[in-house]
Amino acid sequence: MQIETSRLRLRRFLPCDIPDFAAYRSDGEVARYQNWDFPLPLASARRLVGEYSRRDPARPGWFPYAIELKEDASLIGDVAVNRHPGGLKAELGFSIARERQGCGYASEAVRGVLGELFTQGLRTAVAECDVRNTRSARLLEHLGFTYVRQHSVFVREKRERTQLSEFALPAERWAVLKGQ
Ligand SMILES: CC(C)(COP(=O)(O)OP(=O)(O)OC[C@H]1O[C@@H](n2cnc3c(N)ncnc32)[C@H](O)[C@@H]1OP(=O)(O)O)[C@@H](O)C(=O)NCCC(=O)NCCS
């Protein structure tokens, strides 16, 4: 299940990730448009990492890949994949620690995961982000996703109603972009 890109290793979460995972999940900038409980105490990070490390990436449901920077083996974020039953559709989510943003790591990590999913027969990748999350929308569009629609949701963790933009990337478009 491990995915290698030029600078990154996408792998299962490990116990050594707990402090860095708790740190970026507790950063208000990273959490701003995510539906997380925030901040994330170390004990909760330990429980979550333990739970993530037992999940099977081939099964339906969310599987978070830890993003490890090869040069120093540090955890810099995660790409989470929610495979729908049947394996034809999957939703993606992503986070990068604030001090590691702006270096192309999210683009590289998400592209690596998409490559793996489409090779395994995925037909459509989808992603949603808060309409105010312009960095995330820009990233999705750079990767080839196209805007589908907007819908309104109540985010329990933030106690607010907000608009989400939905994006999609069909396998046919991925194949064209990959060939360019
Ligand atoms: C959205 C988010 C994941 C982007 O992460 P990132 O690692 O900064 O993204 P990238 O570095 O790949 O791209 C960001 C910018 O860096 C630029 N960049 C810098 N170096 C680059 C490189 N070597 N290769 C590619 N792009 C590079 C990109 O062009 C892009 O520029 P733009 O924003 O002007 O379009 C990050 O801001 C984040 O974690 N936000 C909080 C969590 C969140 O909201 N997640 C999304 C929920 S839907």
Side-chain angles (χ1 to χ4, degrees):
M1 53 72 60
Q2 189 161 297
I3 301 168
E4 298 254 347
T5 66
S6 58
R7 297 176 294 171
L8 308 171
R9 188 170 291 118
L10 303 165
R11 55 156 175 81
R12 195 178 283 281
F13 267 90
L14 299 169
C16 59
D17 296 324
I18 293 165
D20 288 342
F21 176 65
Y24 72 75
R25 287 282 295 251
S26 296
D27 182 333
E29 287 247 334
V30 178
R32 175 70 189 93
Y33 299 118
Q34 304 273 25
N35 53 352
W36 299 331
D37 288 322
F38 159 85
L40 185 71
L42 261 188
S44 307
R46 191 171 299 117
R47 184 183 49 74
L48 273 180
V49 165
E51 200 195 292
Y52 293 166
S53 65
R54 290 189 294 275
R55 291 191 193 169
D56 179 352
R59 292 178 67 91
W62 285 102
F63 180 84
Y65 285 89
I67 307 175
E68 181 185 303
L69 190 60
K70 283 184 190 172
E71 72 181 25
D72 61 3
S74 61
L75 178 79
I76 62 162
D78 60 81
V79 179
V81 178
N82 180 16
R83 271 179 195 269
H84 292 202
L88 298 181
K89 190 171 177 183
E91 183 181 353
L92 272 73
F94 35 78
S95 303
I96 298 288
R98 192 196 317 196
E99 65 280 10
R100 304 292 197 164
Q101 294 180 7
C103 303
Y105 292 137
S107 314
E108 187 172 325
V110 177
R111 211 172 262 125
V113 171
L114 287 170
E116 177 75 10
L117 291 172
F118 283 120
T119 302
Q120 292 171 2
L122 187 79
R123 300 308 307 161
T124 315
V126 294
E128 287 187 333
C129 66
D130 190 296
V131 291
R132 296 164 294 180
N133 195 348
T134 50
R135 294 183 76 176
S136 179
R138 233 179 9 246
L139 174 73
L140 289 167
E141 286 174 340
H142 278 162
L143 290 166
F145 283 78
T146 50
Y147 171 80
V148 178
R149 66 178 184 126
Q150 244 181 54
H151 63 106
S152 171
V153 290
F154 180 75
V155 183
R156 184 183 50 83
E157 294 81 358
K158 299 279 183 337
R159 293 181 192 82
E160 66 174 5
R161 180 159 286 282
T162 187
Q163 295 284 325
L164 295 183
S165 296
E166 189 182 313
F167 294 83
L169 174 58
E172 294 76 12
R173 183 165 158 81
W174 173 256
V176 170
L177 293 171
K178 218 177 59 157
Q180 279 173 359

